[in-house]
Amino acid sequence: LNIIVIGGGAAGLMAAGTAAEQGANVTLFETNEKVGRKLFITGKGRCNVCNDCDAQEVLRNVPVNPRFLYSALGAFSPADVKAFFEEKGVALKTERGNRVFPVSDRASDIIDALFLWVKRTGVSIVHGTVSDVIIENGRVTGVRVGKKTYPADRVIVATGGVSYPSTGSTGDGYLFAKENGLNVTRLSASLVGLTMDEKWPTLLQGLSLKNVKLSAKAGKKLLFDELGEMLFTHFGISGPLVLSLSSVIAGKDLDGIDIRIDLKPGLTREQLERRLLRDFEARARGQISTVLDGLLPRSLAPVIAETAGVAAETAVSQVSRAQREKLMDALKGLPVHAAGFRPIAEAIVTRGGVSVKEVDPKTMESKIVPGVYLCGEMLDVDGFTGGFNIQIAASTGCA
């Protein structure tokens, strides 16, 4: 059986090595000089390879079409991903949020393990760009690379999304799919920073907040409520919490979404009030800015004062009860008005892809064109941050 895999990312490598282990003759085409380019940048270059949880927890972290992954995760779970890399000699560790990383903190160890495995299983790696998937009489017969044609009994398309095009994710696979009659859903950015109308986030550029709670509501419906880290940037907000939030609100009307930051999630409102009264007493002769400096990073204090409508230079002794309530409102729910999403090229993951209604969830074969298989970001499935997207790539590639 001649199998061609297009794309040498996590899904493509997994598919190629698994097929070769089953005895197939496998050729993998990769545009870049090296495989696994996108893996290099995941987890800030450390590669968050999976999440140490069960299959049900993975599905809870997949906002789009989670049920489609049921079979694939059953056959290749997070425990299987961990065992796979440990067997290949990569020592792993689990960090906050059950995120699994190589002990070395080097994404290259994960890529090297995959590369050596596919070479050992006998996969031929060809560095070239596939221009066409050849379909004859409704069935795949091969691929075209430049002027050369390569015959194949099966073609696995694992070209990734359209995010981070510098890594080779240029959306070629979606074009192959559309040209051959497959339905590709609308593509948008997922796991991406949010731009803001207000100017104050740019004044806080570079400030990272840890152990804060980010929440979002549409009317009375709670869409998102999580504890973690976030970052202020030149365009607005980013960081792990914001990336996950972006995945939940992708495609929704941002004007109707109320986003807030709880800067003191460890304190109830009553506890925060007691803390403020103690600080007011201790700094009775000072200004409100000195009290806020004791509670927050210094650059954030003026923002809280302004949001609460209390001048930062107001004497502590002059703060009224109503002003104190307003300060607590700002500390427990600093409003953020998201204007939009950063460009899709900056997104960690592409939302959308080949409609899962047209794909066999057990084998990943197209129901429209026999012999064509799709995995990873080619599919209309994506997860939150925390290792879930590499898990999807590994499980669907393996299937």
Side-chain angles (χ1 to χ4, degrees):
L1 199 65
N2 278 329
I3 295 181
I4 283 175
V5 179
I6 312 172
L13 290 167
M14 209 71 218
T18 305
E21 280 189 337
Q22 314 274 328
N25 179 29
V26 183
T27 306
L28 183 145
F29 287 92
E30 170 53 56
T31 304
N32 296 313
E33 285 172 35
K34 290 181 176 174
V35 296
R37 274 285 294 279
K38 196 169 176 187
L39 283 170
F40 262 120
I41 58 171
T42 62
K44 296 178 183 168
R46 300 197 300 137
C47 194
N48 179 190
V49 75
C50 68
N51 195 283
D52 192 2
C53 63
D54 61 15
Q56 288 301 324
E57 185 61 22
V58 175
L59 296 176
R60 279 193 284 275
N61 281 275
V62 176
V64 179
N65 300 319
R67 287 178 69 89
F68 174 78
L69 295 170
Y70 205 81
S71 296
L73 282 168
F76 200 68
S77 67
D80 297 321
V81 171
K82 286 178 67 185
F84 174 88
F85 284 106
E86 283 167 344
E87 280 163 16
K88 309 289 178 287
V90 182
L92 301 173
K93 61 179 175 179
T94 302
E95 295 186 3
R96 192 178 54 76
N98 293 328
R99 295 164 191 242
V100 178
F101 293 91
V103 169
S104 64
D105 284 331
R106 286 198 307 263
S108 55
D109 288 359
I110 297 294
I111 298 158
D112 290 347
L114 282 166
F115 176 70
L116 292 170
W117 171 61
V118 298
K119 292 299 280 182
R120 205 165 49 244
T121 57
V123 174
S124 301
I125 297 177
V126 178
H127 293 283
T129 303
V130 173
S131 55
D132 288 297
V133 176
I134 305 163
I135 312 288
E136 291 172 354
N137 302 321
R139 190 174 178 86
V140 73
T141 59
V143 301
R144 205 171 279 113
V145 181
K147 290 181 179 170
K148 202 170 174 189
T149 300
Y150 292 81
D153 304 302
R154 311 273 188 277
V155 172
I156 300 172
V157 186
T159 49
V162 288
S163 47
Y164 280 110
S166 59
T167 63
S169 301
T170 51
D172 296 356
Y174 300 135
L175 292 176
F176 299 149
K178 282 179 184 168
E179 283 166 4
N180 292 302
L182 276 62
N183 175 27
V184 176
T185 64
R186 190 173 78 84
L187 305 175
S188 61
S190 186
L191 302 185
V192 72
L194 297 172
T195 59
M196 286 175 63
D197 286 331
E198 295 97 331
K199 289 285 174 277
W200 62 260
T202 57
L203 304 174
L204 302 176
Q205 185 177 337
L207 175 65
S208 177
L209 298 177
K210 292 184 177 176
N211 299 319
V212 294
K213 188 177 262 195
L214 190 66
S215 64
K217 281 183 177 176
K220 288 187 177 172
K221 189 183 179 190
L222 187 65
L223 302 174
F224 185 85
D225 189 42
E226 280 189 25
L227 192 72
E229 292 177 39
M230 61 176 290
L231 174 73
F232 292 100
T233 69
H234 65 286
F235 58 76
I237 50 174
S238 190
L241 276 179
V242 176
L243 298 181
S244 290
L245 170 64
S246 75
S247 188
V248 174
I249 62 175
K252 288 186 166 62
D253 174 20
L254 294 181
D255 285 343
I257 295 176
D258 179 20
I259 302 169
R260 293 187 182 256
I261 307 166
D262 182 348
L263 295 160
K264 292 291 168 189
L267 300 176
T268 64
R269 197 176 169 97
E270 291 72 28
Q271 287 169 328
L272 178 61
E273 184 167 32
R274 285 201 295 273
R275 166 81 192 264
L276 273 178
L277 288 169
R278 269 204 317 274
D279 290 355
F280 278 15
E281 209 172 303
R283 296 181 172 88
R285 296 185 175 189
Q287 296 180 335
I288 199 68
S289 57
T290 59
V291 172
L292 293 174
D293 282 349
L295 278 168
L296 301 162
R298 179 158 284 183
S299 57
L300 200 50
V303 173
I304 293 297
E306 191 176 329
T307 304
V310 181
E313 59 276 8
T314 305
V316 168
S317 57
Q318 299 300 307
V319 175
S320 68
R321 177 166 186 171
Q323 286 176 314
R324 196 171 71 237
E325 291 288 341
K326 285 267 175 35
L327 285 166
M328 286 193 292
D329 289 342
L331 288 164
K332 293 293 288 176
L334 179 63
V336 170
H337 303 113
F341 299 88
R342 288 295 285 173
I344 197 166
E346 290 179 23
I348 294 174
V349 176
T350 304
R351 165 72 48 89
V354 174
S355 170
V356 297
K357 292 180 184 139
E358 297 180 353
V359 180
D360 184 330
K362 287 194 170 71
T363 63
M364 303 297 142
E365 185 174 17
S366 166
K367 294 175 183 176
I368 309 299
V369 184
V372 168
Y373 294 73
L374 307 129
C375 56
E377 277 193 83
M378 277 301 301
L379 299 160
D380 182 18
V381 185
D382 61 89
F384 295 145
T385 60
F388 300 107
N389 288 293
I390 294 180
Q391 178 70 53
I392 292 168
S395 295
T396 57
C398 187

